[in-house]
Amino acid sequence: MTSSNSRESIVIVGAGIIGLNVASILADQGLGQYVTVIAEHLSGDTSINYTSPWAGANFSAISGHDANALRWDRTGYQHLTRLAKQVGAESFVQQTPSTEYWDDKVSDDKMQSLSDYLHDFQIIPTGELPEGVASGLKYTTVTINAPEHIKFLHRRLKDNHGVRFLRKKIADIKDAYISPKTEVVFNCTGNASAHLVGVEDPKCYPTRGQIVLVKAPEVHENVMRHGRDYVTYIIPRPYSNGNVVLGGYMQKGVGTSDTFSHETESIMKRTSELSSEVRDNKAEVLAVLAGLRPSREGGARVEAVGYQVRGQDRLLVHNYGAGGTGFQAGYGMAFDAVARAKSVLDRLSSAADQAKL
Ligand SMILES: Cc1cc2nc3c(=O)[nH]c(=O)nc-3n(C[C@H](O)[C@H](O)[C@H](O)COP(=O)(O)OP(=O)(O)OC[C@H]3O[C@@H](n4cnc5c(N)ncnc54)[C@H](O)[C@@H]3O)c2cc1C
Ligand SMILES: *[C@@H]1O[C@H](CO)[C@@H](O)[C@H](O)[C@H]1NC(C)=O
Ligand SMILES: *[C@@H]1O[C@H](CO)[C@@H](O)[C@H](O)[C@H]1NC(C)=O
Ligand SMILES: *[C@@H]1O[C@H](CO)[C@@H](O)[C@H](O)[C@H]1NC(C)=O
Ligand SMILES: *[C@@H]1O[C@H](CO)[C@@H](O)[C@H](O)[C@H]1NC(C)=O
């Protein structure tokens, strides 16, 4: 083809779970050596502006009826289950029994959609539900050791697929077009999208969560209660020597990284009420943490737009606003984001094939 490919052909801004999933799908398509990931924060870092290491994380049946969200969840569940089965210890993903409760009744449609793909799916009979709970189900979920999982993805991309990582903060999305050869930029900047020059999406807002990390090796079950105005959960963290994440909060529009002792007390009380495994075993508190879910009115934005840089027509693919579901929905979102760039990627792939001849 006209121009030869280079490591600057494809740029991904952001090294959270969203950017790393996009890089993984490109790598699986054989395009790893044309990818540069640019990010202010990389796996191993901690910052209130880097949400991914703070996640629980688990798969939960929290999505509503939005067709995108349901499809992303299903793709993500299947992908994470495959990782758990094939490279569980290495990727820090594990199949785990889970119970979920809702204070408001869940629609038959949603239960039907979930029953289609969740393993060991079982609706809990009304007579066996705890007080105040209207719907409940049991199934086999996947739990993810979030900070270790993103390190695994980063390592695999760098060592096995030739993806380059550059630590850099960009002031304007146009600076992501680092070379005249940059054909496409994936914007995976999470909550920063609200302020990044060139993006400034007013629909973005943070949803704060506080979690308590405890040592409780006796706790094996993932439990989630979706309350009317609260959320309580227990997530055993896979391959962590018995660490368990207790939560939580979903505070819309709250952006502080501070943690609060009254919230810790509330989390300890609510999780003990919810799980006999937590109640019956003394949990040693290791840390109290807060993170900001990169939320967006109307749901995540996965969309390609034309973009002019230095007089050239380029592509910009937005992929941000995953809110509370970046780990469970991120792979499906990345799949769609990559599909939006198909014409450019096909051109890069065929140039790569030519080069091999
Ligand atoms: C307490 C808590 C529990 C959660 N539990 C779960 C769960 O169980 N399951 C689940 O699916 N999800 C969960 N989430 C949500 C999940 O963590 C997020 O959806 C996900 O981390 C978002 O990933 P991201 O890649 O979009 O953003 P981030 O991880 O924040 O990454 C953003 C990246 O963009 C970079 N960046 C931003 N601006 C710039 C710039 N100008 N220049 C260069 N780089 C830039 C940053 O440095 C970073 O690398 C939870 C979140 C919290 C807070
Ligand atoms: C997080 O990002 C905001 C917006 O870019 C910035 O003002 C703030 O200083 C950052 N906080 C930290 C702790 O880096
Ligand atoms: C469980 O998963 C849901 C959806 O991904 C998420 O919103 C919630 O915060 C998770 N719970 C924990 C403890 O991480
Ligand atoms: C996240 O969004 C909030 C509200 O829009 C903002 O105050 C905060 O600075 C943002 N954080 C980052 C890192 O951009
Ligand atoms: C990239 O996405 C962020 C939201 O994550 C948005 O604020 C920003 O404007 C986007 N950048 C561009 C160039 O569109």
Side-chain angles (χ1 to χ4, degrees), residues 1-12 34 176-186 304-310 312-317 340-341 343-349 351:
M1 297 302 289
T2 47
S3 67
S4 62
N5 297 337
S6 75
R7 343 182 53 164
E8 284 103 27
S9 298
I10 305 170
V11 171
I12 297 169
Y34 308 125
Y177 294 82
I178 49 178
S179 135
K181 293 200 170 148
T182 306
E183 300 258 358
V184 53
V185 167
F186 289 90
V305 296
Y307 197 74
Q308 278 260 327
V309 205
R310 303 178 206 99
Q312 305 263 31
D313 284 324
R314 294 302 188 225
L315 198 63
L316 174 63
V317 183
R340 303 279 189 276
S343 56
V344 173
L345 299 174
D346 283 352
R347 194 149 39 77
L348 291 171
S349 294

Side-chain angles (χ1 to χ4, degrees), residues 216-264:
E218 310 80 7
V219 174
H220 298 293
E221 197 188 15
N222 192 76
V223 189
M224 183 106 198
R225 180 157 176 178
H226 308 270
R228 278 196 189 107
D229 54 4
Y230 65 90
V231 58
T232 304
Y233 51 71
I234 296 142
I235 302 182
R237 187 166 258 187
Y239 305 104
S240 68
N241 290 319
N243 292 359
V244 178
V245 173
L246 305 179
Y249 284 89
M250 295 265 189
Q251 296 161 336
K252 212 176 149 168
V254 176
T256 179
S257 60
D258 295 351
T259 59
F260 299 99
S261 60
H262 68 270
E263 292 188 350
T264 301

Side-chain angles (χ1 to χ4, degrees), residues 9 23 30 34 62 91 96 100 120 122 192 221 236 245 281 290 312 317:
S9 298
Y34 308 125
I62 60 167
S91 64
T96 306
E100 296 198 36
D120 310 313
Q122 218 186 314
E221 197 188 15
V245 173
N281 294 285
Q312 305 263 31
V317 183

